[in-house]
Amino acid sequence: MRQITEACEHAMIRRRAVRELAGKLSALAGIDPYLAAFNRSLHKVSNEEGGEGLAYTKQIAHDLKWAYSVLQREKGCLLYTSDAADEGLGV
């Protein structure tokens, strides 16, 4: 989540950094499918210009902020989900 906040602080971001964020969010989307919707713009921007150079943060800021919100919401729930699964609640 630190990478998301750092990305939003700057006017431009390296496409390589966007690709890294997109990869991490893709992995987390396996746990929380809501993240997949916010990851599309990151993949698009990271692949423009052959994946090299800089991109304007405003192209992805909206989706980064939403992804951050989802992660903040899930931060408190993941432990509960894990505990519930251990108790045989099937979550």
Side-chain angles (χ1 to χ4, degrees):
M1 289 197 314
R2 179 182 49 81
Q3 290 177 321
I4 293 174
T5 55
E6 287 176 2
C8 290
E9 292 173 356
H10 303 286
M12 299 195 79
I13 186 171
R14 291 184 347 242
R15 291 184 196 281
R16 182 181 204 166
V18 175
R19 189 169 40 255
E20 289 173 10
L21 273 171
K24 290 176 182 180
L25 288 174
S26 290
L28 290 173
I31 298 169
D32 189 340
Y34 290 113
L35 288 171
F38 306 116
N39 208 12
R40 289 185 190 108
S41 68
L42 274 68
H43 282 291
K44 179 182 179 283
V45 168
S46 71
N47 290 317
E48 291 174 347
E49 307 287 331
E52 299 297 324
L54 298 172
Y56 287 103
T57 304
K58 66 182 178 182
Q59 291 178 281
I60 56 173
H62 182 263
D63 287 343
L64 284 176
K65 290 175 183 174
W66 273 104
Y68 183 85
S69 295
V70 169
L71 290 171
Q72 280 293 99
R73 177 182 56 91
E74 294 299 326
K75 188 176 176 182
C77 296
L78 289 177
L79 180 60
Y80 172 78
T81 301
S82 175
D83 291 345
D86 289 343
E87 296 298 323
L89 297 176
V91 178

